[in-house]
Amino acid sequence: LEDQVVLHAAGTGCLRLHLEQKWHKFIPGTEKSRGVQALAVSPNRRYLAVSETVAEQPSLTVYELSPVPARRRRTLASAGLPAREAVSLAFSPDCRYLAAATAPPEGHLTYWLWEKQRLMAAVRVEAPGSGICQVSFSPRDNAQVCITGNGFFKLFKYSEGTLKQMNLQKGEPQNYLCHAWLSEEEVICGTDTGKLILFETGELHWETSVEYKKTPRELEEDATTEEYESSSDVSCGLASEDNGSQQDSLPQISAVAAYSKGFACSSSPGVVLLFEKTKGKEVYKESQEIWLPRDLFSSEPKQSGRQDIICICFSPSEETMVVNTKKNQLYMFTMLSTDLMKEKAAYFAYLNFPLHSASITGLDICIWKPILATCSLDRSVRIWNYKTNTLELYKEYREEAYTVSLHPTGLFCLVGFSDKLRFISLLYEDMHVFKEFAVRKCRECSFSNGGHLFAAVNGNVIQIYSSITFENINNLKGHSGKIHAIKWSADDTKFVSCDTHGAVYEWNLLTGKRESECVLKSCIYSSIALSSDAKIIFAVGSDQTLKEISESSIQHEVPAFGVVYTAVAVSHSGHMVFVGTSLGTIRAMKYPLPLTKDFKEYQAHAGAVTKMSVTNDDLFLLTASEDGSIFIWKVYDKGGGILKWEKEVEYAEEVLIMRSDIEEKSQAMLDLQIRVKELQTENDYHLRLKDMYCDEKIKELEENFTQEIGSLKTKHQILQAEKEKQELQHQFQLSELMNKQAGEVQQLESDSNQKLLMENEKYEELQVKSQRMQEEYEKQLHNLEESKSRAVKELTEYYEEKLNEKSVLLEEAKEDMRQQLQAHEEIKKQIEEDEDREILEIKIKYERQLLEEKESNLQLKGETGVMNKRLNSLQKELKERNRDIEEMRLEQQKLQGIIKSLEKDMLALKTEIQERADTIQDKEKHIYDLKKKNQELEKFKFVLDYRVEEFKKQIESRENDIKTMKEQICEMEGELERFHKESTQLKLNITQLQQKLKATDREMHRERQKKQNMEALIKRFKTDLHNCMGFIQDSKKMKDRIRELYTKYVQQSDTVETEALDTDLQQEYMRQREYLERNLAALKKKVKDQEVHQAAYMRIVQENVSLIKEINDLRQELKVAHTQVHDLQSTLRLTKKKQAIQDTAPSGELLSSPAVLRLNAEKESEKIIEMQQLEIQYLRQQIQEKGQVLAVQPLSGGNLPKLNLERSHKTQQQ
């Protein structure tokens, strides 16, 4: 709108934003609006056109922006056109006309004179398919309109009430996504294939294709990968090129805007290209790339810089450019001159701050600071300041955020993500995850008012945690549906929750139990609010009512009048209740709640309100919606003044910061200080150099200026002499001119005198002529007056005659009128008399009828009374009959129920009879089997006696074996200790020998190196000696060479020897040091080995203890077996006696079941004894094998071998 004011759609209206002063002014949409579809601002920036849907009907509204609260001027509607939303709007250059286009395929272009609400013309725009459609006016012609879309580019001219197409499309139809007027005749269009097409008067003038652009960072990465690929195989390079080509997508021109030097367009996601006009073949040439910045706080920084740009705008002065993206983000770029744009790539900056791009799922405020926290399905968490209208912190995560809660201090927050619940510290410039809780898909969480506790919803359970120790203090169970809202009381002793199954529960946190409940299964609750005293609960849900709940029951229900309430909030004073609807409107009600439609409704969001909250001072209401917008409302009283709080709130200024960040910053400050000092010294040095250079320059300039001054003085003297000469010449010329002028003046005076005389004579002649003319005209006037008077007399006589005739006619007409009036009065009298007679007759007739009707009415009334009495009696009888029928029905139902139950009992009894018959048969069979078993038991008795004796013998032998095994174990432990000591000693010896070997290897290597060096030295000496022998004849040279040889080899060898001695000493010192270090390491290992050995020894002792326990258990089992054998023997005797008694009777009684049980116990004891024998044999074998192994081989490690007792355990289990 202006250089610092931006207007954009927000919720159901538009928002004006000042970039420097940071104020926001909201222009609400029309009532029941569902959101803005298109915007247009007039060229003079005074009017705003908005296309929106109101109560499922499209609407076009024009606002006047000049007054501070924008005023609605006109609403445009036409009954003749189909009801469809306008997707593009445009004002004419003089702001009188408005063009609107609806979306194809059944698109229409309408041309309005909006101030008079008159539709001037409409034309149908046929298109092959649906897509983006745009309309615009020519910059200087009110009648010329351009419209583009999928498969069409059309220019229309308005004339005589119709829109006529001016151009004919040639070639293949393109999908035109956008267009802009560059001049009166030129239109630039962008297609979905990345083409820019320039039309001049409707004809194709210029065309170019724009490539898919990569960001500068991507180009740098590609360059590094290409360098890497060039060093690798060619095949790898080809493969990577193929992958790269697949990754690049096709370019498309999504937005175009014109400015004075050319136009700007978006060819790829995240970039705007500036094109400037040229004089060559290419009409427009690309001058600069402007990229969206990468968001460092985003979970995907690359994708944050790759957003689709859908709109580009320039400020009136073209100093700033603003773009809008598909993710509802606004960016700005300050346009500079071409001289300053040296870098080809530049970057946008956020217009104000990054906004939410998806539905807001959580909102919360704190007490200490004027901030609110929000989270959204765009995976971001944001902290806003509602006093300054700024974004303080934000961060994107990898998971969707469902709920957020701020700690009362404003230093921490809880966020429920899809995978976990996270406790986040709000730092100065970042958010740090301090603690994570395993609560998946936490839809609701909330800090207590004191901040010492927090609640989190985990499925159908509410978990209460301590915010200091992070321990789970309590779990509140009882909800059967999904929990949608939770609220704490002011003193944190109570807790309220609601769910989707219509339950509202009140919990006591001191006991952890449910105090009260209110269940309405037909309602799905979405939000609740608590009064400040926690006695009243306000709940809203799917049943389109606001409920006031107290003492476990619904006290009041306020209807929503055709709308679903989605959120509710109560002021801390308790006087106001705020409700959010599914249409995005906010309703403010007084408490106690009104039953009628007594509330104020405000247009705000374009989606359902998800969260609402009132600040602690009751001055602000904060609302969030599914459309991703947050509204901050100031709460006023009815008089128009802002509500005053009892105490002025002082907000905390403290922030959290990590120690590492402080250290980094302090280090950076130190580095910068050092850098500043270095720069100061450098600057001082450079300044001195500059001063010296400047002094030299000044001296040179002074010399030059003195020379120039001297030359200029000489020039000045010459010019002064010339000036004096010219002055003398001018004086002479002046005197001549004066003389000439005096002569000319005398001649002119004489000529003028002659002319004056001539003119005087002419004047006298003309005066005589004028007198004559005047006399003639006076005569003519006199004649005309006489003729006029005659004509007037004649006319008056003629008209007087006519008047006399007309007066006679009038008198005759008056007499006729009198006669007619008399006749009319007589007729009138006769008609009145006739009518009176008729009225009397009709009156008498109708009176008779009335009397008859009254009599008939009285008869009918009597009959109706009788009939009513009969009806009442019949109704009573009917009611009695109905009651009897109902009673009979009830009795019938009861009887039917009794019959059914009796039938069921019958069936059950029959099944029982059958089952009992079966059981009798089974029992008879069982008796027969028992008799057989009894006979077998007698046989087993003798065998058992024999086995009992054998068991006794085996137990004695086993005890002896256990004693021997204990002795063997003690011996084995001693041997193990001895073997362990030997192994550790051997290990030490091995390490020492290894170290000695390494030292000898080094010495060998050193000696070999020395030998090689000596051989090389000897070879060099031989060659030098051989060369010296060449000078045997020349004694001097020979002498010099021999001296050189002496200095070269003899002295060098001495130094080499001394150096070798020094190195030997150092090596010996190092060897001793290494030896001592090794000894130290060996001793450390010994200590560790002893610890390991001690652990192993303890393990063996524990195993021995377990073995002893098992032996004791076996003994006890043997005792049990003895007792069982004794019992079996007694039972056998009893059975014998019974058999002797029952031999006489064929059908004997059943034997008691304990005999069978004891038989089974006997079998079990036999099995146990067999298992124990096997185990003892296995243990003996193990001991023998271990003894042999230990005798043959020493232990190969510090650990003791494990006894393999798995087999024994398996046998025991069997």
Side-chain angles (χ1 to χ4, degrees):
L1 296 177
E2 299 169 20
D3 284 338
Q4 294 296 324
V5 180
V6 177
L7 184 139
H8 63 87
T12 55
C14 301
L15 189 74
R16 280 193 282 186
L17 165 68
H18 199 284
L19 300 179
E20 283 184 356
Q21 297 172 9
K22 303 290 181 188
W23 51 254
H24 299 75
K25 287 176 183 175
F26 185 63
I27 303 166
T30 51
E31 195 176 342
K32 295 182 182 178
S33 173
R34 295 292 176 86
V36 177
Q37 296 296 320
L39 293 174
V41 177
S42 62
N44 61 2
R45 317 283 173 175
R46 282 186 63 195
Y47 304 108
L48 166 69
V50 179
S51 168
E52 54 193 341
T53 306
V54 179
E56 298 180 358
Q57 288 293 320
S59 172
L60 270 176
T61 313
V62 179
Y63 294 87
E64 191 175 352
L65 296 171
S66 52
V68 176
R71 189 160 56 89
R72 188 183 285 109
R73 283 288 298 271
R74 295 284 183 271
T75 302
L76 311 178
S78 175
L81 292 172
R84 298 196 69 194
E85 295 170 355
V87 293
S88 181
L89 303 171
F91 276 99
S92 62
D94 64 352
C95 311
R96 289 180 64 209
Y97 298 97
L98 180 72
T102 59
E106 295 178 3
H108 281 83
L109 173 64
T110 52
Y111 188 85
W112 299 82
L113 181 64
W114 65 267
E115 283 187 343
K116 295 183 179 179
Q117 297 178 333
R118 190 191 301 166
L119 179 65
M120 304 297 287
V123 65
R124 187 173 176 180
V125 181
E126 292 181 359
S130 61
I132 296 164
C133 177
Q134 187 183 347
V135 67
S136 65
F137 273 94
S138 172
R140 290 185 185 175
D141 189 355
N142 290 337
Q144 197 169 358
V145 182
C146 174
I147 184 167
T148 57
N150 188 358
F152 63 90
F153 166 76
K154 294 182 179 181
L155 290 170
F156 288 96
K157 186 92 174 177
Y158 174 74
S159 64
E160 298 175 358
T162 56
L163 286 165
K164 293 177 183 177
Q165 190 171 343
M166 292 168 60
N167 67 323
L168 290 168
Q169 277 189 294
K170 294 176 183 178
E172 291 183 7
Q174 302 274 347
N175 184 4
Y176 298 103
L177 300 178
C178 53
H179 73 267
W181 289 83
L182 301 178
S183 65
E184 291 178 38
E185 296 176 346
E186 291 182 342
V187 181
I188 189 83
C189 297
T191 69
D192 63 343
T193 55
K195 285 184 180 179
L196 284 166
I197 303 167
L198 183 69
F199 292 96
E200 194 169 346
T201 61
E203 297 293 325
L204 181 66
H205 178 61
W206 174 73
E207 185 179 340
T208 185
S209 291
V210 183
E211 293 179 355
Y212 183 85
K213 296 285 181 181
K214 287 187 176 183
T215 61
R217 288 183 184 177
E218 283 177 3
L219 292 168
E220 286 172 12
E221 287 168 8
D222 290 346
T224 52
T225 50
E226 279 172 14
E227 285 173 12
Y228 175 72
E229 283 167 5
S230 62
S231 62
S232 62
D233 295 332
V234 178
S235 61
C236 295
L238 289 166
S240 67
E241 282 172 11
D242 292 339
N243 292 331
S245 65
Q246 285 172 5
Q247 284 172 2
D248 290 349
S249 60
L250 291 167
Q252 63 174 28
I253 312 299
S254 58
V256 170
Y259 72 110
S260 57
K261 292 180 182 177
F263 64 90
C265 72
S266 175
S267 64
S268 307
V271 67
V272 171
L273 306 178
L274 293 180
F275 283 82
E276 291 185 0
K277 197 161 188 175
T278 58
K279 292 178 181 178
K281 288 181 181 178
E282 290 188 4
V283 183
Y284 289 92
K285 193 175 181 181
E286 185 188 330
S287 62
Q288 195 176 19
E289 294 175 6
I290 308 164
W291 289 90
L292 295 181
R294 281 190 181 183
D295 194 350
L296 299 174
F297 292 99
S298 174
S299 57
E300 295 176 347
K302 284 186 180 179
Q303 293 298 319
S304 65
R306 279 294 194 181
Q307 298 176 43
D308 289 322
I309 294 164
I310 56 172
C311 182
I312 303 170
C313 293
F314 288 93
S315 64
S317 62
E318 295 183 357
E319 286 181 3
T320 53
M321 173 171 58
V322 177
V323 297
N324 182 20
T325 69
K326 264 192 177 178
K327 288 189 176 180
N328 300 335
Q329 303 298 328
L330 293 164
Y331 295 90
M332 64 176 285
F333 178 74
T334 51
M335 301 285 286
L336 302 167
S337 63
T338 51
D339 299 330
L340 295 169
M341 290 183 179
K342 289 179 182 177
E343 293 182 3
K344 197 177 181 186
Y347 289 94
F348 283 98
Y350 279 109
L351 181 70
N352 204 355
F353 34 70
L355 307 164
H356 281 296
S357 60
S359 173
I360 295 166
T361 54
L363 179 145
D364 197 22
I365 57 170
C366 70
I367 300 164
W368 281 24
K369 295 182 179 184
I371 59 171
L372 69 140
T374 57
C375 65
S376 168
L377 295 178
D378 61 7
R379 302 176 180 178
S380 69
V381 179
R382 296 165 198 259
I383 309 295
W384 313 81
N385 191 317
Y386 57 80
K387 287 278 187 183
T388 58
N389 297 332
T390 55
L391 178 69
E392 291 200 348
L393 271 178
Y394 87 101
K395 195 170 185 179
E396 283 189 20
Y397 294 87
R398 292 188 180 277
E399 295 84 23
E400 288 181 345
Y402 297 127
T403 179
V404 68
S405 178
L406 264 178
H407 194 268
T409 58
L411 301 173
F412 309 100
C413 74
L414 268 175
V415 184
F417 290 98
S418 57
D419 61 340
K420 284 180 182 177
L421 176 71
R422 291 179 171 87
F423 188 94
I424 296 171
S425 301
L426 303 177
L427 306 179
Y428 178 58
E429 291 176 337
D430 196 9
M431 295 184 189
H432 174 65
V433 178
F434 184 71
K435 182 80 175 173
E436 290 183 342
F437 302 91
V439 181
R440 293 186 80 247
K441 290 186 179 178
C442 178
R443 297 280 176 178
E444 282 295 324
C445 66
S446 177
F447 274 104
S448 64
N449 292 308
H452 60 293
L453 299 173
F454 65 85
V457 173
N458 189 356
N460 297 339
V461 180
I462 302 165
Q463 296 179 340
I464 309 294
Y465 290 87
S466 168
S467 55
I468 297 158
T469 59
F470 300 114
E471 289 178 359
N472 187 357
I473 295 165
N474 210 337
N475 289 327
L476 307 178
K477 296 177 182 177
H479 282 283
S480 58
K482 284 185 180 178
I483 298 163
H484 269 186
I486 53 175
K487 284 284 181 290
W488 294 82
S489 65
D491 56 357
D492 295 335
T493 55
K494 288 182 183 179
F495 189 80
V496 181
S497 58
C498 69
D499 65 10
T500 54
H501 288 180
V504 176
Y505 294 151
E506 189 177 336
W507 309 84
N508 190 332
L509 291 176
L510 299 171
T511 58
K513 291 180 181 178
R514 196 160 62 206
E515 268 195 358
S516 65
E517 62 181 45
C518 178
V519 181
L520 184 69
K521 289 188 177 180
S522 61
C523 178
I524 299 167
Y525 285 114
S526 58
S527 179
I528 53 170
L530 262 177
S531 62
S532 54
D533 57 358
K535 288 181 181 177
I536 301 163
I537 302 164
F538 298 94
V540 293
S542 60
D543 62 348
Q544 299 187 0
T545 57
L546 167 64
K547 296 176 183 62
E548 185 184 338
I549 301 167
S550 66
E551 296 176 358
S552 302
S553 63
I554 298 165
Q555 302 295 328
H556 296 289
E557 277 190 346
V558 180
F561 303 101
V563 182
V564 177
Y565 286 144
T566 55
V568 63
V570 184
S571 64
H572 292 82
S573 63
H575 299 310
M576 291 296 291
V577 178
F578 302 99
V579 188
T581 68
S582 57
L583 299 177
T585 57
I586 308 297
R587 290 180 178 179
M589 306 176 186
K590 276 193 172 184
Y591 186 80
L593 297 173
L595 295 172
T596 57
K597 209 172 183 179
D598 186 16
F599 54 78
K600 286 193 175 181
E601 190 164 10
Y602 301 94
Q603 289 290 321
H605 301 280
V609 177
T610 53
K611 296 286 175 184
M612 295 179 80
S613 191
V614 181
T615 57
N616 290 295
D617 53 6
D618 285 347
L619 294 179
F620 295 97
L621 171 70
L622 313 169
T623 60
S625 168
E626 285 178 359
D627 64 355
S629 63
I630 302 156
F631 276 73
I632 300 164
W633 306 81
K634 276 187 180 176
V635 181
Y636 292 88
D637 62 1
K638 227 175 185 180
I642 299 171
L643 295 168
K644 289 184 179 179
W645 192 241
E646 291 176 2
K647 296 177 183 177
E648 288 186 6
V649 180
E650 291 182 3
Y651 293 110
E653 296 292 329
E654 291 82 3
V655 290
L656 292 176
I657 192 161
M658 299 282 280
R659 191 186 292 277
S660 57
D661 292 345
I662 291 168
E663 287 171 356
E664 282 176 13
K665 283 187 177 178
S666 58
Q667 188 62 44
M669 281 173 71
L670 286 167
D671 295 340
L672 287 166
Q673 283 173 357
I674 292 159
R675 180 71 181 146
V676 164
K677 285 176 183 177
E678 288 173 359
L679 287 166
Q680 277 179 350
T681 52
E682 282 179 14
N683 284 331
D684 291 338
Y685 175 67
H686 287 304
L687 281 166
R688 283 173 195 164
L689 289 172
K690 277 183 181 177
D691 288 339
M692 291 172 71
Y693 177 71
C694 289
D695 289 337
E696 289 173 358
K697 277 274 183 187
I698 287 160
K699 285 177 182 176
E700 287 177 4
L701 287 165
E702 279 179 351
E703 289 173 358
N704 291 330
F705 280 129
T706 48
Q707 288 174 2
E708 283 177 7
I709 286 161
S711 62
L712 285 166
K713 277 180 180 176
T714 52
K715 279 181 183 178
H716 179 67
Q717 287 173 358
I718 293 159
L719 287 166
Q720 207 163 6
E722 285 178 358
K723 184 191 168 189
E724 287 172 355
K725 285 179 184 178
Q726 283 178 359
E727 277 178 353
L728 291 166
Q729 284 176 0
H730 282 304
Q731 282 175 0
F732 180 69
Q733 286 173 356
L734 262 169
S735 62
E736 286 180 352
L737 283 164
M738 290 289 281
N739 293 326
K740 276 184 183 179
Q741 195 180 5
E744 284 173 358
V745 164
Q746 285 176 359
Q747 284 180 356
L748 280 165
E749 279 179 356
S750 61
D751 292 338
S752 62
N753 287 326
Q754 287 175 1
K755 281 179 182 179
L756 275 166
L757 290 165
M758 293 284 286
E759 289 294 324
N760 195 9
E761 288 173 358
K762 282 180 183 178
Y763 175 72
E764 285 174 353
E765 287 175 359
L766 285 165
Q767 206 169 6
V768 171
K769 276 183 182 180
S770 68
Q771 282 176 357
R772 285 176 191 168
M773 291 282 284
Q774 198 171 359
E775 286 172 357
E776 287 174 1
Y777 281 125
E778 281 175 356
K779 284 178 184 178
Q780 285 176 0
L781 275 166
H782 185 69
N783 294 328
L784 282 166
E785 280 177 358
E786 285 177 352
S787 62
K788 190 181 175 183
S789 61
R790 283 176 204 156
V792 166
K793 281 178 183 178
E794 288 172 358
L795 282 165
T796 48
E797 286 171 359
Y798 173 72
Y799 281 115
E800 278 174 358
E801 287 174 0
K802 273 197 173 186
L803 265 168
N804 292 324
E805 288 173 1
K806 292 283 178 187
S807 61
V808 171
L809 287 168
L810 262 169
E811 283 174 358
E812 288 175 356
K814 279 177 183 177
E815 285 176 1
D816 291 334
M817 279 285 288
R818 282 171 193 163
Q819 290 170 3
Q820 283 176 1
L821 278 165
Q822 286 172 0
H824 176 70
E825 281 174 357
E826 287 174 1
I827 292 159
K828 190 179 174 185
K829 281 176 184 176
Q830 286 174 1
I831 288 161
E832 281 175 353
E833 286 171 358
D834 294 337
E835 281 176 351
D836 289 335
R837 283 172 200 160
E838 283 176 3
I839 288 158
L840 282 165
E841 287 171 1
I842 289 160
K843 193 178 180 184
I844 293 156
K845 187 182 174 183
Y846 279 116
E847 279 173 354
R848 285 173 189 167
Q849 283 179 359
L850 254 170
L851 287 164
E852 287 171 2
E853 286 291 326
K854 280 176 182 177
E855 287 171 0
S856 63
N857 271 327
L858 287 166
Q859 287 174 0
L860 287 166
K861 276 178 184 178
E863 285 173 5
T864 50
V866 173
M867 290 295 288
N868 282 326
K869 284 174 185 177
R870 282 183 185 176
L871 254 172
N872 290 325
S873 61
L874 285 166
Q875 280 175 354
K876 283 175 184 178
E877 283 175 10
L878 267 168
K879 283 177 182 176
E880 286 170 2
R881 289 273 177 88
N882 286 328
R883 280 172 195 165
D884 294 336
I885 289 158
E886 282 175 2
E887 285 171 3
M888 292 290 282
R889 276 179 190 169
L890 289 166
E891 282 176 8
Q892 191 183 353
Q893 285 173 1
K894 283 176 185 176
L895 287 165
Q896 281 176 352
I898 291 158
I899 289 157
K900 284 177 183 176
S901 63
L902 287 166
E903 283 173 355
K904 284 176 185 176
D905 292 338
M906 285 276 286
L907 288 165
L909 286 164
K910 281 177 183 177
T911 50
E912 275 182 16
I913 288 157
Q914 286 176 356
E915 284 171 3
R916 284 188 181 182
D918 294 333
T919 49
I920 287 158
Q921 286 175 1
D922 293 333
K923 281 183 179 180
E924 283 175 355
K925 285 177 185 176
H926 190 58
I927 288 158
Y928 181 70
D929 293 332
L930 282 167
K931 282 179 180 177
K932 282 185 178 177
K933 282 180 183 177
N934 197 4
Q935 289 171 3
E936 287 172 2
L937 276 167
E938 286 177 358
K939 291 174 186 175
F940 279 119
K941 190 214 172 191
F942 297 106
V943 178
L944 281 167
D945 291 333
Y946 178 71
R947 283 195 177 173
V948 166
E949 289 173 1
E950 280 183 353
F951 283 144
K952 284 176 182 177
K953 289 174 185 177
Q954 282 175 2
I955 286 158
E956 287 172 3
S957 63
R958 190 172 280 185
E959 283 176 353
N960 295 324
D961 290 335
I962 286 159
K963 283 177 184 177
T964 53
M965 278 170 75
K966 279 181 181 177
E967 289 170 2
Q968 282 177 359
I969 286 159
C970 291
E971 288 171 4
M972 279 172 73
E973 283 175 356
E975 284 177 3
L976 276 168
E977 284 177 5
R978 191 174 66 254
F979 285 138
H980 184 62
K981 284 175 184 176
E982 286 175 3
S983 66
T984 48
Q985 190 62 42
L986 285 164
K987 277 182 182 175
L988 282 168
N989 293 335
I990 287 158
T991 50
Q992 285 173 3
L993 287 165
Q994 282 174 351
Q995 286 167 3
K996 283 178 183 178
L997 259 168
K998 283 176 185 175
T1000 50
D1001 285 335
R1002 284 177 194 156
E1003 282 177 7
M1004 280 283 287
H1005 186 68
R1006 222 178 280 117
E1007 289 296 327
R1008 280 177 186 164
Q1009 192 67 38
K1010 273 185 187 178
K1011 187 187 170 189
Q1012 286 173 3
N1013 291 338
M1014 287 302 290
E1015 283 174 356
L1017 203 138
I1018 289 157
K1019 278 180 184 177
R1020 273 189 270 127
F1021 182 75
K1022 281 177 179 177
T1023 51
D1024 288 340
L1025 229 166
H1026 183 71
N1027 292 332
C1028 191
M1029 289 303 289
F1031 299 104
I1032 201 157
Q1033 291 177 358
D1034 193 351
S1035 59
K1036 282 184 181 179
K1037 284 183 180 178
M1038 183 81 169
K1039 190 180 178 183
D1040 293 335
R1041 285 299 176 97
I1042 287 159
R1043 276 180 182 168
E1044 284 173 11
L1045 282 168
Y1046 178 79
T1047 52
K1048 191 176 179 181
Y1049 290 104
V1050 177
Q1051 290 175 357
Q1052 194 177 0
S1053 62
D1054 293 340
T1055 55
V1056 165
E1057 280 173 6
T1058 54
E1059 283 171 8
L1061 284 165
D1062 292 337
T1063 53
D1064 288 338
L1065 282 165
Q1066 284 175 359
Q1067 284 167 2
E1068 184 64 26
Y1069 172 74
M1070 290 299 287
R1071 208 179 297 134
Q1072 285 177 1
R1073 188 176 173 182
E1074 282 172 2
Y1075 176 71
L1076 288 165
E1077 283 174 356
R1078 283 186 205 119
N1079 283 343
L1080 225 165
L1083 287 164
K1084 282 179 181 175
K1085 278 182 184 176
K1086 263 190 184 180
V1087 171
K1088 284 178 184 174
D1089 290 335
Q1090 279 178 357
E1091 287 171 0
V1092 171
H1093 171 66
Q1094 198 170 359
Y1097 178 76
M1098 288 300 291
R1099 193 178 65 252
I1100 288 159
V1101 169
Q1102 285 169 1
E1103 285 173 357
N1104 287 336
V1105 168
S1106 65
L1107 281 167
I1108 291 157
K1109 280 180 182 175
E1110 282 176 5
I1111 289 156
N1112 289 328
D1113 293 337
L1114 287 166
R1115 280 176 181 166
Q1116 285 175 359
E1117 283 171 5
L1118 269 169
K1119 283 178 185 177
V1120 171
H1122 280 305
T1123 54
Q1124 284 175 354
V1125 167
H1126 184 70
D1127 292 335
L1128 284 164
Q1129 284 172 356
S1130 61
T1131 51
L1132 276 166
R1133 285 170 195 160
L1134 282 163
T1135 51
K1136 276 182 182 178
K1137 285 175 184 177
K1138 281 179 183 177
Q1139 217 166 9
I1141 293 157
Q1142 289 171 359
D1143 281 335
T1144 56
S1147 60
E1149 290 178 359
L1150 287 169
L1151 284 167
S1152 59
S1153 59
V1156 181
L1157 292 167
R1158 281 168 189 162
L1159 180 66
N1160 292 333
E1162 187 182 349
K1163 283 179 183 176
E1164 283 175 5
S1165 62
E1166 282 175 7
K1167 282 181 183 177
I1168 288 159
I1169 290 156
E1170 283 173 2
M1171 281 157 57
Q1172 286 172 353
Q1173 282 176 351
L1174 288 165
E1175 193 176 352
I1176 289 156
Q1177 283 175 7
Y1178 178 73
L1179 284 165
R1180 279 176 183 168
Q1181 286 172 4
Q1182 284 270 324
I1183 290 156
Q1184 284 173 5
E1185 284 171 5
K1186 293 287 177 186
Q1188 286 170 6
V1189 170
L1190 288 166
V1192 174
Q1193 286 181 349
L1195 287 165
S1196 62
N1199 296 329
L1200 287 167
K1202 289 182 180 178
L1203 289 169
N1204 192 6
L1205 299 173
E1206 287 176 5
R1207 189 172 167 187
S1208 64
H1209 286 299
K1210 282 177 186 174
T1211 52
Q1212 197 170 359
Q1213 284 168 5
Q1214 288 173 359

